[in-house]
Amino acid sequence: MNKEVRRQAKKQFNKISRKYPLIGISILLVAFVLQYYDVFSFVENHDMQQIATSGISLSNCIDGDTAAFIYEGEKVKIRFSGINTPEKNSKKVEPFSEEAAMYTCNKLQEAFAIDVEWDITQSDSYNRKIGIVFVDGENLNFLLLSEGYADLRYLKDTMPYSKEYRKLLAEAQHEHRGRWQNS
């Protein structure tokens, strides 16, 4: 919920609870129960049905744009939505692949809270889930783009945060950050 909606809801709640105290207490009780059962985890973002998932923990780092997490007792590999970091595998080592992987791994390991918004606009040929990862409330995809460790891959205008991604990439390139330092 954005701040304006919260402000309006609080104003209405205060108005009702002054006039009808029993209703105010009932509303608070219902809100507490809904919060407890994580009903508010559903989000609307760019007209996409996405679920913000809390209670996810890091299993292991894979590279700059993929990590494995424990979610609902299962190990789940998540490919970060819309971005791509340089690759390091047996066939090739791209510049900044190690830096991008270390940056991602450090952010995930140091995080007190990890959340994911599932991106249902994409699928993956490696059977990974696609998501937007948040570390301590910060969009990790934004951070990777802003620091110059990622570029855009498979990004469509209908995808979550596509405008923000393009803006952050342009800024990183203009400021010659990360992999763009010699361009």
Side-chain angles (χ1 to χ4, degrees):
M1 255 191 267
N2 66 31
K3 289 181 183 179
E4 181 60 25
V5 172
R6 285 184 186 174
R7 190 182 66 74
Q8 289 292 339
K10 187 175 180 181
K11 185 177 177 183
Q12 286 295 92
F13 172 77
N14 288 337
K15 186 177 179 181
I16 291 170
S17 63
R18 271 189 241 114
K19 193 170 185 178
Y20 306 101
L22 193 55
I23 291 175
I25 292 170
S26 299
I27 291 171
L28 281 176
L29 183 60
V30 168
F32 175 78
V33 169
L34 292 174
Q35 183 74 32
Y36 180 79
Y37 288 103
D38 205 23
V39 172
F40 294 124
S41 66
F42 290 95
V43 295
E44 292 180 32
N45 185 3
H46 300 271
D47 298 321
M48 304 275 166
Q49 180 187 1
Q50 298 176 352
I51 300 172
T53 304
S54 298
I56 195 164
S57 61
L58 179 66
S59 172
N60 62 288
C61 302
I62 297 173
D63 61 21
D65 56 27
T66 307
F69 299 91
I70 302 299
Y71 172 60
E72 295 181 345
E74 301 285 325
K75 187 174 181 176
V76 178
K77 288 183 181 177
I78 300 176
R79 171 75 165 81
F80 301 171
S81 172
I83 66 166
N84 184 58
T85 60
E87 301 296 327
K88 177 185 178 184
N89 56 43
S90 60
K91 296 177 186 177
K92 62 182 174 183
V93 177
E94 295 176 345
F96 282 92
S97 59
E98 290 182 11
E99 293 87 340
M102 285 178 42
Y103 183 85
T104 296
C105 198
N106 287 339
K107 286 290 187 184
L108 290 169
Q109 288 175 338
E110 293 171 3
F112 291 106
I114 299 172
D115 299 298
V116 175
E117 283 183 21
W118 303 113
D119 182 353
I120 61 170
T121 67
Q122 296 186 78
S123 60
D124 181 63
S125 58
Y126 297 104
N127 213 17
R128 298 173 292 190
K129 299 245 184 227
I130 308 295
I132 298 120
V133 176
F134 293 82
V135 289
D136 298 327
E138 289 187 281
N139 184 324
L140 183 55
N141 297 10
F142 284 0
L143 297 172
L144 286 162
L145 284 164
S146 181
E147 294 297 322
Y149 294 125
D151 62 9
L152 303 177
R153 182 70 50 97
Y154 316 115
L155 187 69
K156 300 175 188 159
D157 289 336
T158 58
M159 291 171 57
Y161 308 106
S162 61
K163 289 179 185 174
E164 293 90 338
Y165 285 171
R166 285 188 176 89
K167 180 182 175 194
L168 290 167
L169 176 63
E171 288 173 2
Q173 289 172 331
H174 179 75
E175 297 291 325
H176 303 284
R177 289 188 219 125
R179 65 191 295 187
W180 314 113
Q181 65 184 265
N182 294 325
S183 61

